[in-house]
Amino acid sequence: IGFVASCIESAAARVGCHYEEMLDRMEAVGLIDKYIFPHYEALHTEGRDNLTDNILETLNRWESEKT
């Protein structure tokens, strides 16, 4: 859970929004349950900047596919 929280906070800081807004966006597309948790082993080995890039790229792609 700490890893997920750090992903949310890093992504929110990068785009300049509140962490609750980022959490809402991630939950809306299922990013936490369908991406972060299942791929934890690989994701947690990435550096913070690369991880944040990866999370935001995936989030933006999933959001665009949802609409």
Side-chain angles (χ1 to χ4, degrees):
I1 299 295
F3 179 73
V4 172
S6 71
C7 290
I8 295 166
E9 291 172 355
S10 293
R14 175 78 63 85
V15 300
C17 70
H18 194 270
Y19 75 89
E20 289 177 342
E21 179 182 340
M22 183 57 63
L23 175 61
D24 290 344
R25 287 179 62 190
M26 290 180 174
E27 287 181 334
V29 296
L31 191 78
I32 295 168
D33 292 331
K34 296 178 184 173
Y35 186 71
I36 297 175
F37 279 140
H39 301 331
Y40 168 78
E41 290 299 324
L43 293 172
H44 90 279
T45 64
E46 293 187 32
R48 178 60 46 194
D49 286 338
N50 287 338
L51 174 62
T52 303
D53 290 344
N54 183 322
I55 295 293
L56 287 172
E57 287 171 15
T58 304
L59 176 62
N60 290 329
R61 185 172 62 249
W62 288 17
E63 286 177 327
S64 70
E65 291 171 357
K66 187 175 181 184
T67 57

